[in-house]
Amino acid sequence: MPVAALSGPQYLREGLKLILSPGLRLFVILPLTVNLVLFCGLIYLAVRQFGGWVDAFMPNLPEWLMFLEYIIWPLFVVLVVLIVFFTFTMLANIVAAPFNGFLAEKVETVARGVDSAPPFSWSELLAMLPRTIGREARKLAYFAPRALVLLILSFIPVVNLVAAPLWLLFGVWMMAVQYIDYPADNNKLSWDEMMVWLRQRRWKSLSLGAVTYAALLIPFVNLLIMPAAVAAATLFWVREGGKSTMPTVIDP
């Protein structure tokens, strides 16, 4: 694996620094406030229901195998944590979609040196609303059937032992898809074109997705990581050539 494929932490660090700069800080405050309320609500629900969810996923072991319960229980705790994390991330990104698309647009102008402190515009933000919500629906259509398969696997005895690693791998890929989509959509790439672009940079994309995924697992820190990931993905988009490197997608 080339060293460049491990550049995810650097991009996320640069993205965090960028969103804290005076010119872009305002674009982070509104979605941060909304997601804080959402996050607190989900944390409250998870704390109250966590034990029951773990018990629901745990397989019913025969008495002579009960000693294995102490070994596999942590695996199912991780599984529940990953599912809760996925739920919050998807809801938070739907809520923040217009803000994230707007932020990606402004970060791209800064990264290209076009405008060091682009002004905030409510009219521009509202104009992006239908397109960004539609794109989030497309992500959900991509995510939902795959997540459903993983959820079904989570309830099948023995097979569910691999559910947590599969959730983790899928989660890393979805983080790359989720955040690269903002600059790609701003540059009028279709969903299929964006997926081709990502797959051509699979290792670099997974690197960015992995570090984002890990950072988003940290409570409350994840609220700031979301806009940082938007900025990081936009920097990645610009430095990888953006739309200018997009191959032609040929329909079969």
Side-chain angles (χ1 to χ4, degrees):
M1 187 188 306
V3 175
L6 303 177
S7 57
Q10 176 187 340
Y11 277 117
L12 190 60
R13 185 169 58 251
E14 288 186 50
L16 182 59
K17 182 179 179 181
L18 196 56
I19 64 165
L20 294 176
S21 64
L24 294 172
R25 198 179 299 157
L26 178 62
F27 306 129
V28 178
I29 295 174
L30 286 174
L32 189 64
T33 303
V34 174
N35 283 332
L36 180 60
V37 175
L38 176 63
F39 181 71
C40 289
L42 283 177
I43 286 293
Y44 175 76
L45 178 64
V47 168
R48 290 179 62 90
Q49 303 294 329
F50 191 81
W53 291 339
V54 173
D55 291 340
F57 283 111
M58 277 285 291
N60 293 319
L61 298 174
E63 188 174 343
W64 62 279
L65 285 178
M66 288 302 292
F67 70 94
L68 289 177
E69 184 174 329
Y70 298 100
I71 299 174
I72 64 176
W73 185 83
L75 181 64
F76 287 92
V77 170
V78 171
L79 176 61
V80 171
V81 168
L82 291 177
I83 292 174
V84 171
F85 161 76
F86 250 75
T87 302
F88 165 69
T89 302
M90 293 303 295
L91 289 175
N93 281 313
I94 290 172
V95 170
F99 301 100
N100 288 343
F102 194 62
L103 175 62
E105 183 180 275
K106 299 311 177 185
V107 168
E108 184 167 349
T109 64
V110 172
R112 295 189 187 280
V114 177
D115 189 348
S116 60
F120 180 80
S121 168
W122 279 106
S123 60
E124 187 178 351
L125 178 64
L126 292 173
M128 295 179 68
L129 188 61
R131 194 188 80 230
T132 53
I133 294 298
R135 195 73 167 205
E136 288 302 311
R138 182 62 185 86
K139 290 179 202 172
L140 190 59
Y142 176 83
F143 165 80
R146 292 162 177 82
L148 181 60
V149 170
L150 289 175
L151 190 61
I152 293 171
L153 291 179
S154 302
F155 285 101
I156 302 174
V158 182
V159 176
N160 56 12
L161 293 174
V162 301
L166 289 177
W167 272 106
L168 180 61
L169 182 61
F170 180 53
V172 167
W173 175 247
M174 276 305 302
M175 289 302 99
V177 171
Q178 177 68 49
Y179 291 105
I180 290 294
D181 184 56
Y182 294 117
D185 184 37
N186 286 341
N187 284 273
K188 306 299 188 293
L189 253 68
S190 70
W191 176 265
D192 291 337
E193 288 175 325
M194 189 267 294
M195 295 300 287
V196 169
W197 193 93
L198 271 174
R199 291 183 185 116
Q200 289 204 327
R201 298 156 180 82
R202 188 182 304 274
W203 288 112
K204 292 181 181 180
S205 301
L206 287 173
S207 172
L208 181 60
V211 69
T212 301
Y213 193 102
L216 285 172
L217 286 172
I218 305 172
F220 295 103
V221 173
N222 55 9
L223 297 173
L224 194 58
I225 291 299
M226 283 188 174
V230 174
T234 305
L235 292 173
F236 177 64
W237 165 267
V238 171
R239 292 175 189 173
E240 285 293 317
K243 192 174 182 178
S244 65
T245 60
M246 184 61 227
T248 303
V249 178
I250 301 176
D251 294 328

